[in-house]
Amino acid sequence: MMNAFSRVIFGGALLVASFSAASAHDIYTGVHGKNGQLCCGGNDCAATAYREQGGHYEFLTREQRWVSIPQERITFLPIPGDPPDGDSHHAHLCYRQATEGDRIGALASNVFEDIYLYCAFIPPGSI
C-alpha cells in the first residue's frame, strides 16, 4: 500500500513540475526578435542576467558561461508576461548550442562563441 501511495505522490509531483515549466515558458510564445524571427522553439528561452563589459553586453547562458552579444542583436523591449523582479540586470536569452554546420555560410552570423542565437532581450528598466 505504501509503495503505491509513494508512486502516486511522485507522479503528481512530476505532473505539477511539468505544468510549471510549460507555463513559465509560455511568456515566449509568439515573441519575435529584431530580425522578425520567432525566438523560441521549445525550451530555447530563459530569463537570465546580463552585464556590460567594455562597451558591449554579455549574457549568462544556461550553462553558466558569459557570452558577448552585439548591441545590434539585442531587443530593448519587455517580454509580455514577464514579471518585474527589480533586478537591474534582468534579461532573456533564446539560443541553442551551435553546431559545426552553423559556423559556415549564412548561419554563421548567428553564432556567438558556442551558442546559436535566436534572440536576446533586455527589458526597459533593467539597464
Side-chain angles (χ1 to χ4, degrees):
M1 177 75 169
M2 188 60 163
N3 194 14
F5 180 72
S6 296
R7 283 186 286 195
V8 168
I9 295 296
F10 181 70
L14 286 176
L15 186 61
V16 168
S18 67
F19 282 131
S20 296
S23 63
H25 194 261
D26 286 346
I27 66 169
Y28 302 109
T29 301
V31 173
H32 292 78
K34 272 192 162 178
N35 62 359
Q37 172 184 353
L38 279 172
C39 291
C40 201
N43 292 323
D44 305 323
C45 297
T48 190
Y50 79 92
R51 65 186 181 192
E52 293 180 69
Q53 292 283 86
H56 65 276
Y57 294 90
E58 294 180 341
F59 286 71
L60 188 62
T61 67
R62 293 182 297 269
E63 297 79 23
Q64 301 302 301
R65 289 188 313 274
W66 291 99
V67 174
S68 181
I69 305 292
Q71 185 170 345
E72 63 269 9
R73 293 299 303 271
I74 301 169
T75 304
F76 293 91
L77 292 173
I79 300 288
D82 181 28
D85 66 0
D87 182 4
S88 63
H89 288 93
H90 175 72
H92 296 268
L93 188 61
C94 305
Y95 69 96
R96 64 173 169 78
Q97 291 300 307
T99 66
E100 288 306 312
D102 294 332
R103 298 177 189 280
I104 55 175
L107 298 179
S109 64
N110 293 321
V111 176
F112 299 94
E113 297 176 30
D114 62 346
I115 70 167
Y116 182 90
L117 180 69
Y118 296 127
C119 300
F121 288 87
I122 297 176
S126 293
I127 297 177

